[in-house]
């Protein structure tokens, strides 16, 4: 089974990091601890000295790390000689396994998790509040309040952001120049017209790339937002309300069908997410939704980094360009011992330090490209450390503060996914009919049970 899209994004964001615990899941397990208390019910060994030997368990998706990552780890162990790292390989979907492992009592001490999963983990009570650690942190004053507020609930902070990546419209500057196009499109209509000019089936070149075989809800949500709506609503009591029949959803679906019907998107609907990045890198897709951290990825596949343009996502009927903020947080397992929590915080302090960030940025630059990502510090400038393309700076600034993905995506994303696949495979299918049926099925199969669990655990 493939990892969900948010897992892939987070893995890309922190590909060089030692461990991960991020993925979207369809799990609706009963919470295992009280998320509104600063004390885990299973803490032990609270009297242990922080200088006593402690083993910190991490989950890895791979043992491979380059010389720079090895040196970073060696420096951490040198500064913390009492800490031993127990690195466990977890294939597949470590985010889901972490959720279940807490209940089973064999979860790691800390993980990195995608922004998308934070609400679920916080509500489940499996994350340790970090207030005391944060209040005594040297970086507190320069830490962006946006990320404090975003991951605080009932006055408790649960995650420390590692980095974030905004979604843009990625475009091939060389193809634009060849076609006499001087600027990136700013509206759906402009994007469609540009896509027509950049489509040449004889060269297997298409103007627009659209996720069509997997995780289609990932890109589709942006078009719904540009149309002025959303796929779900989070009610004040935390329950989930579906809005699949919102006029904005239907408008986004009709735009997708227009791209397909007019043959300006890729002809092969079986292209996977990885395939699309490959096609973009090869100049086969002239435009596609593109995260800022994919620059180094596309470059590794043969793209010229100077040829990758970034622009705000084209505005839809709402007249606004709306994007998302996808990234990863370090979180601590609420059910581990206090001494392990303290060791986990030392790990977080070090691995989010400017020292480590700079080493990783320079390492990335040495391999060909610097990603257009942001870090959670208000006084941190990537361009002062690396040769980040200066054209990206105003776009990054204009897109800053994007929203999180739609609420409940981890449990109902597959329902949207299937509808979008159906609409692309059959451009004459009725979006309202298909989304109405999907909404009814989602309520019956997962949403009603999810809402029941939310209310019972209030």
């Amino acid at each position: 089974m493939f990892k969900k899209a948010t897992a892939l994004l987070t893995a890309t964001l922190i590909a060089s990091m030692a461990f991960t615990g991020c993925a979207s899941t369809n799990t609706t397990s009963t919470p295992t601890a009280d998320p509104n208390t600063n004390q885990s019910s299973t803490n032990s060994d609270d009297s242990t000295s922080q200088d006593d030997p402690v083993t910190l368990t991490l989950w890895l998706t791979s043992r491979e790390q380059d010389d720079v990552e090895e040196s970073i780890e060696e420096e951490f162990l040198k500064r913390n000689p009492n800490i031993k790292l127990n690195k466990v390989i977890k294939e597949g979907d470590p985010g889901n396994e972490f959720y279940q492992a807490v209940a089973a009592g064999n979860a790691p001490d800390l993980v990195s998790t995608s922004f998308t999963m934070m609400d679920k983990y916080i509500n489940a009570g499996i994350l340790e509040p970090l207030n005391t650690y944060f209040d005594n942190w040297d970086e507190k004053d320069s830490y962006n309040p946006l990320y404090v507020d975003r991951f605080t609930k009932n006055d408790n902070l649960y995650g420390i952001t590692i980095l974030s990546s905004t979604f843009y419209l990625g475009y091939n500057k060389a193809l634009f120049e060849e076609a006499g196009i001087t600027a990136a499109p700013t509206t759906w209509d402009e994007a469609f017209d540009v896509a027509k000019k950049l489509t040449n089936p004889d060269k297997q070149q298409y103007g627009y790339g659209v996720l069509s075989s997997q995780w289609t809800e990932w890109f589709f949500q942006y078009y719904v937002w540009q149309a002025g709506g959303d796929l779900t609503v989070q009610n004040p009591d935390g329950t989930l309300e579906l809005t699949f029949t919102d006029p904005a959803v239907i408008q986004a679906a009709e735009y997708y069908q227009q791209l397909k019907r007019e043959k300006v998107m890729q002809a092969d609907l079986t292209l996977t997410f990885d395939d699309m990045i490959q096609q973009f890198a090869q100049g086969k897709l002239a435009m596609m939704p593109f995260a800022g951290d994919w620059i180094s990825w596309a470059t590794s596949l043969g793209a010229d980094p100077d040829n990758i343009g970034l622009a705000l996502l084209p505005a839809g009927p709402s007249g606004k360009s709306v994007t998302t903020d996808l990234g990863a947080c370090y979180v601590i397992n609420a059910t581990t011992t206090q001494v392990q929590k303290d060791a986990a915080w030392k790990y977080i302090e070090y691995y989010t330090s400017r020292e480590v960030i700079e080493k990783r940025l320079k390492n990335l630059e040495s391999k060909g490209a610097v990603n257009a990502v942001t870090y959670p510090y208000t006084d941190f400038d990537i361009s002062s450390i690396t040769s980040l393309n200066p054209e990206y700076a105003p776009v990054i600034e204009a897109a800053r503060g994007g929203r999180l993905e739609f609420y409940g995506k981890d449990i109902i994303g597959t329902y949207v996914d299937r509808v979008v696949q159906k609409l692309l495979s059959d451009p004459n299918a009725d979006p309202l009919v298909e989304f109405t049926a999907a909404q009814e099925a989602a309520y019956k199969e997962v949403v009603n049970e999810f809402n029941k669990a939310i209310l019972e655990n209030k």
Side-chain angles (χ1 to χ4, degrees):
M1 177 180 178
F2 286 105
K3 294 181 184 179
K4 288 296 289 176
T6 47
L8 278 174
L9 178 64
T10 308
T12 307
L13 285 171
I14 51 175
S16 62
M17 301 176 112
F19 65 98
T20 182
C22 53
S24 293
T25 74
N26 291 325
T27 307
T28 56
S29 301
T30 304
T32 58
D34 182 358
N36 300 317
T37 177
N38 280 308
Q39 187 69 28
S40 169
S41 62
T42 58
N43 281 356
S44 61
D45 296 343
D46 288 352
S47 61
T48 305
S49 168
Q50 292 188 22
D51 295 325
D52 288 343
V54 56
T55 297
L56 192 62
T57 297
L58 315 175
W59 278 358
L60 292 73
T61 55
S62 172
R63 291 193 186 279
E64 295 182 7
Q65 51 184 16
D66 62 17
D67 292 344
V68 171
E69 286 302 313
E70 287 181 2
S71 70
I72 289 171
E73 181 179 304
E74 288 171 0
E75 182 61 25
F76 171 73
L77 295 174
K78 179 180 177 181
R79 296 182 188 186
N80 299 277
N82 66 311
I83 297 177
K84 177 182 178 181
L85 299 181
N86 174 33
K87 300 188 291 185
V88 180
I89 299 296
K90 299 296 289 187
E91 300 291 348
D93 192 345
N96 183 40
E97 291 186 39
F98 168 69
Y99 191 90
Q100 300 297 338
V102 171
N106 57 8
D109 301 311
L110 79 160
V111 293
S112 63
T113 184
S114 68
F115 287 177
T116 301
M117 296 302 296
M118 286 296 291
D119 270 344
K120 178 176 181 176
Y121 287 173
I122 292 170
N123 289 336
I126 61 178
L127 305 183
E128 176 72 8
L130 305 177
N131 300 48
T132 300
Y133 295 120
F134 183 79
D135 289 343
N136 292 289
W137 190 21
D138 291 342
E139 298 291 358
K140 175 184 176 182
D141 292 339
S142 61
Y143 191 82
N144 193 324
L146 168 69
Y147 295 107
V148 176
D149 295 341
R150 180 160 283 177
F151 302 116
T152 295
K153 184 172 182 179
N154 297 323
D155 298 324
N156 287 323
L157 172 65
Y158 289 99
I160 298 297
T161 295
I162 303 166
L163 57 79
S164 66
S165 181
T166 299
F167 260 79
Y168 307 96
L169 179 72
Y171 63 96
N172 187 306
K173 293 162 67 175
L175 294 179
F176 270 54
E177 185 176 348
E178 289 174 8
I181 302 168
T182 59
T186 60
T187 67
W188 282 7
D189 289 342
E190 288 180 6
F192 175 73
D193 290 340
V194 168
K196 288 182 68 174
K197 293 179 181 179
L198 293 171
T199 295
N200 186 340
D202 292 339
K203 294 183 178 180
Q204 296 182 326
Q205 175 185 308
Y206 295 91
Y208 221 116
V210 175
L211 272 177
S212 55
S213 70
Q214 59 182 172
W215 315 323
T216 59
E217 81 284 355
W218 188 16
F219 284 11
F220 183 71
Q221 67 185 334
Y222 307 128
Y223 295 85
V224 175
W225 296 346
Q226 318 301 342
D230 207 345
L231 289 153
T232 65
V233 172
Q234 181 179 10
N235 294 319
D237 60 5
T239 55
L240 174 63
E241 180 180 344
L242 304 186
T243 54
F244 288 4
T245 58
D246 185 310
V249 177
I250 307 307
Q251 287 178 308
E254 290 171 345
Y255 185 68
Y256 261 43
Q257 289 182 303
Q258 179 187 15
L259 295 175
K260 176 59 179 174
R261 192 164 46 244
E262 299 297 326
K263 301 179 180 179
V264 300
M265 62 170 281
Q266 76 270 15
D268 185 357
L269 295 182
T270 68
L271 288 184
T272 66
F273 171 63
D274 286 2
D275 292 335
M276 286 186 64
I277 302 300
Q278 179 79 58
Q279 294 273 303
F280 181 84
Q282 294 175 348
K284 300 298 184 182
L285 294 177
M287 296 184 292
M288 64 176 286
F290 198 88
D293 64 300
W294 296 348
I295 295 170
S296 60
W297 185 5
T299 300
S300 73
L301 296 173
D304 179 351
D306 294 331
N307 197 32
I308 300 175
L310 296 180
L312 296 180
L313 290 168
S318 72
K320 297 179 181 179
S321 175
V322 185
T323 189
T324 191
D325 190 8
L326 290 177
C329 287
Y330 280 129
V331 297
I332 298 177
N333 181 353
T335 66
T336 194
T337 67
Q338 188 60 49
V339 69
Q340 288 166 313
K341 291 173 185 176
D342 292 341
W345 178 256
K346 288 184 178 180
Y347 191 101
I348 293 172
E349 276 188 312
Y350 176 70
Y351 274 83
T352 58
S353 68
R354 295 162 199 269
E355 172 189 356
V356 169
I357 292 173
E358 290 185 16
K359 284 183 179 179
R360 284 179 164 158
L361 284 171
K362 290 177 179 177
N363 184 36
L364 196 61
E365 183 178 34
S366 72
K367 296 179 178 180
V370 180
N371 288 326
V373 299
T374 57
Y375 291 88
Y377 303 114
T378 56
D379 56 355
F380 190 85
D381 180 13
I382 297 178
S383 61
S384 68
I385 300 168
T386 68
S387 56
L388 177 71
N389 188 332
E391 295 179 4
Y392 296 156
V395 183
I396 293 172
E397 189 58 36
R400 192 181 298 275
R403 55 174 294 175
L404 297 179
E405 296 190 277
F406 63 89
Y407 183 63
K409 179 181 175 180
D410 58 308
I411 68 166
I412 58 90
T414 54
Y415 293 88
V416 180
D417 183 36
R418 289 194 290 266
V419 173
V420 176
Q421 288 180 348
K422 171 70 178 296
L423 297 175
L424 287 175
S425 63
D426 180 5
N428 294 316
D430 187 329
L432 182 58
V433 171
E434 299 297 334
F435 272 111
T436 298
Q439 179 166 287
E440 292 173 354
Y443 269 115
K444 180 180 179 180
E445 295 169 7
V446 295
V447 176
N448 289 337
E449 188 63 29
F450 172 84
N451 287 340
K452 179 181 177 182
I454 288 289
L455 295 174
E456 287 178 348
N457 286 284
K458 281 290 178 183

